[in-house]
Amino acid sequence: MTIRSNFALLICFILISGCSSRPKLPLISDEEAFKYEKEYLAEYEQLKSDFSDQSEIKWVQPANKKTPCKVYVGVSKGDDRTLDPDYKVYWDGDCKNGYANGLGREFERATVLNAEALAIYKGKEEEPEYFIQTYHLDNKTQEGDINNRYFVETTINEDNFNFDINYQYGFFGSKEMPYRLITMKSPFNDNILQYKQYPNFSYVLYDMSNNEFDKNKYNFYMNYKGKANGFGFSTPKSGATASGEMSDGSMIRRVQLPNSYFLKIGSVQSEINDAGVKALNAQKYALKVKKQYMNQICKESKSVDFMDDKEYKDICNDSSEIKIKIDEKLAQINILKQQKREQQRQHELLIAKQKQAEAERNQEVWNSINQSLKELGDNIRKNTPKTTYTNCNGTYGGVNCTSTTY
C-alpha cells in the first residue's frame, strides 16, 4: 500500500488554473466558506470531554500460569467482558516480579470473545508495547504502533461465498486527540476514501482518479450526522471543478469557493497522508516483531497445554490461501472490467456510426439542395428569351458596330 498525493496536486492545479475556467457563479467570502467548519468545531469542543478516554486498567492473572504473572487488560466504559464467568486470559511468554515479561502473546477468551495480542512486557506494572491485535470473530487484525494508535487494520469478510478484504490505516484517535485520520483501500476497488473524522463531523475525500469508469477524479464534502452538510466540490476528469453548498445530503446552490478553502482541504489531506505513512512504517516494524516471535514458537518441539496446538500455531501459516482468494477475485473483476470496456467500445462505435450516418444524411440533403439550385439555374437560363444588343461607334471613314446576345 502506498500513500497518494494526487489530491494535493489537484488543489495546486485548481488554485493555478481552475478559477479562470469556472462558470460565472457568486464568489463567497472566507467567512461564509468556513461557517460550517467553525460551527462543527465549536460543537466538538463542547462534546470533547464526553468522548475522552474513560478506560479502566485491570491486571489479570493468566489462567495457564501457576506463578504470579499478571497481564494488562484495558477495559473501556461499557465493556464488561472481564465480568463474563467464562472470561480467561492466557500468556505464552515469561514472567518476572509477578508480571508478564518479554515477548509473547496474550489470548482472551469468553462466551463471545476470541482475541489475541502480540506484546512486549517489562516485568512490572506498566502497560506493555502492543504490536499486533487480532479479533478472530470479526476477522480483523491491527498491525503497527497500537499504543499510539498508528496502525493498519485489515478486515476480511467471507459472507455466502462473497470474499472481500479492505484496509484502513492512519491515526485511530487517542485521549488527547479524539479524532481519526484514515485512508481506506481495497484490492478490489479502484476508489480510495480518506477522511478526518471528529466525534460529530468529518472531512471526506474521494479519489476516483484510478477508476477508468468514473467520470470524476475527486470529490470532497463535509459529513455531519451521516449526511453531506456544508461546502464541497467535485473535479471531473475533463472540465472545470464544480463547487456547491450541501444541506442534509442535497445540493442547495452552486457557488465559487475562495482559494483559501481549497488550501484548507489540501492541508487536511496532507494530515491524512502523514498519518498513513506513520501507520505503514509502524506496520513494517510490527511485522519484524512478529517474525521474531514466530522464530520462537513455530517449531515442532514447541507446544502449549492451554489450547489446541493447531489453533495456537495458526500464526505460523503463510498467507498463500488468502493470496489465492485475492487473485481469484481480481481475475473475476478483470473479466467484468473487460466486458465493460467492450460494452463501452461497442457503444462508442454505435455513437460514431450514428454520427457518421447523420453526417452522410446531412451531406445528402446539401447535395440535393445544391442539385436543385443548379437545375433551377439551368432552367432559368434555358427559358429566358434571348436579347441582342448592338453597339455602333462612329469612326473616321465609317461606322464600327458590335452585337452581344443575352
Side-chain angles (χ1 to χ4, degrees):
M1 292 179 288
T2 58
I3 295 288
R4 295 170 58 95
S5 60
N6 288 10
F7 194 88
L9 292 175
L10 167 72
I11 298 301
C12 295
F13 176 77
I14 290 173
L15 295 181
I16 293 171
S17 60
C19 296
S20 62
S21 58
R22 292 176 187 167
K24 296 299 181 181
L25 295 169
L27 174 62
I28 63 175
S29 65
D30 285 14
E31 182 179 2
E32 185 176 5
F34 292 106
K35 67 178 182 180
Y36 289 97
E37 180 189 55
K38 184 178 180 180
E39 176 186 338
Y40 299 155
L41 288 173
E43 182 182 76
Y44 161 67
E45 289 298 325
Q46 295 178 348
L47 295 172
K48 189 159 52 173
S49 59
D50 296 334
F51 290 91
S52 61
D53 185 10
Q54 300 181 31
S55 62
E56 176 187 355
I57 298 173
K58 294 185 178 182
W59 289 92
V60 180
Q61 174 67 22
N64 62 310
K65 295 292 184 179
K66 295 180 180 179
T67 59
C69 191
K70 292 180 180 179
V71 297
Y72 176 98
V73 177
V75 182
S76 301
K77 182 180 180 181
D79 182 357
D80 57 358
R81 71 184 189 278
T82 59
L83 303 179
D84 188 326
D86 294 325
Y87 180 81
K88 287 183 175 60
V89 176
Y90 304 95
W91 168 249
D92 69 350
D94 296 330
C95 307
K96 181 181 178 182
N97 302 324
Y99 295 91
N101 186 58
L103 176 61
R105 237 187 328 165
E106 302 172 14
F107 303 86
E108 283 189 292
R109 299 291 187 269
T111 305
V112 188
L113 176 63
N114 185 348
E116 63 185 65
L118 183 65
I120 294 180
Y121 278 84
K122 297 180 180 178
K124 55 184 177 180
E125 193 170 300
E126 181 179 306
E127 182 180 2
E129 189 174 2
Y130 286 106
F131 299 95
I132 298 176
Q133 293 184 152
T134 303
Y135 303 91
H136 292 287
L137 300 183
D138 297 320
N139 293 322
K140 184 177 296 183
T141 301
Q142 298 169 345
E143 301 168 325
D145 185 355
I146 307 297
N147 299 60
N148 293 310
R149 309 297 291 164
Y150 286 95
F151 55 80
V152 177
E153 181 176 277
T154 303
T155 303
I156 298 174
N157 294 312
E158 294 185 80
D159 182 23
N160 296 327
F161 305 103
N162 181 28
F163 176 76
D164 196 14
I165 182 169
N166 67 71
Y167 307 102
Q168 296 189 62
Y169 57 96
F171 175 64
F172 284 78
S174 66
K175 178 180 179 180
E176 295 75 20
M177 295 182 289
Y179 56 80
R180 310 206 308 170
L181 298 163
I182 304 298
T183 298
M184 294 183 63
K185 301 175 75 172
S186 169
F188 310 132
N189 193 329
D190 294 325
N191 298 337
I192 299 172
L193 169 64
Q194 293 186 304
Y195 59 88
K196 182 176 184 180
Q197 181 183 46
Y198 287 87
N200 58 325
F201 80 102
S202 303
Y203 304 91
V204 183
L205 312 168
Y206 274 104
D207 179 353
M208 296 87 72
S209 57
N210 275 342
N211 188 337
E212 62 183 292
F213 304 110
D214 200 301
K215 294 181 179 179
N216 286 333
K217 269 189 176 182
Y218 305 97
N219 285 341
F220 166 77
Y221 68 93
M222 299 190 74
N223 184 299
Y224 181 70
K225 294 184 178 180
K227 293 185 178 181
N229 215 72
F231 291 104
F233 57 86
S234 178
T235 300
K237 290 177 180 175
S238 61
T241 295
S243 305
E245 184 177 7
M246 304 288 290
S247 178
D248 200 29
S250 300
M251 173 78 74
I252 58 175
R253 62 169 175 154
R254 291 279 306 280
V255 299
Q256 186 180 159
L257 291 168
N259 290 343
S260 57
Y261 194 83
F262 294 104
L263 290 172
K264 169 64 180 183
I265 304 312
S267 69
V268 170
Q269 200 257 354
S270 294
E271 279 188 86
I272 298 170
N273 281 353
D274 291 344
V277 170
K278 289 182 180 179
L280 293 172
N281 288 337
Q283 181 194 39
K284 290 179 182 178
Y285 186 76
L287 293 176
K288 288 183 180 180
V289 176
K290 177 182 177 181
K291 186 176 181 180
Q292 177 66 17
Y293 173 78
M294 290 169 58
N295 289 337
Q296 296 177 9
I297 71 140
C298 297
K299 305 172 184 176
E300 290 187 11
S301 58
K302 179 69 176 180
S303 63
V304 294
D305 57 6
F306 57 86
M307 68 166 38
D308 178 75
D309 191 60
K310 182 179 180 181
E311 181 183 1
Y312 177 67
K313 291 190 176 181
D314 185 61
I315 192 174
C316 303
N317 297 330
D318 60 30
S319 57
S320 58
E321 184 178 346
I322 294 295
K323 186 178 184 305
I324 289 173
K325 291 181 178 181
I326 290 175
D327 290 343
E328 287 177 348
K329 183 159 184 177
L330 285 175
Q332 294 172 359
I333 290 173
N334 286 332
I335 291 173
L336 294 175
K337 283 184 176 181
Q338 188 58 40
Q339 290 175 348
K340 195 167 185 178
R341 291 188 194 105
E342 181 60 24
Q343 289 174 356
Q344 285 188 341
R345 191 181 74 84
Q346 293 295 334
H347 179 70
E348 290 169 358
L349 286 174
L350 178 61
I351 296 298
K353 288 181 180 179
Q354 289 175 343
K355 288 183 177 180
Q356 179 64 27
E358 184 178 357
E360 290 175 355
R361 286 195 299 271
N362 290 338
Q363 188 60 48
E364 289 176 359
V365 171
W366 281 112
N367 290 342
S368 177
I369 292 173
N370 289 332
Q371 182 62 31
S372 297
L373 290 173
K374 182 177 182 301
E375 291 175 356
L376 178 62
D378 291 344
N379 288 333
I380 290 174
R381 283 191 292 273
K382 288 179 181 179
N383 297 319
T384 299
K386 294 182 179 180
T387 303
T388 301
Y389 294 91
T390 302
N391 183 28
C392 298
N393 294 318
T395 60
Y396 182 78
V399 176
N400 181 24
C401 297
T402 61
S403 297
T404 303
T405 301
Y406 294 93

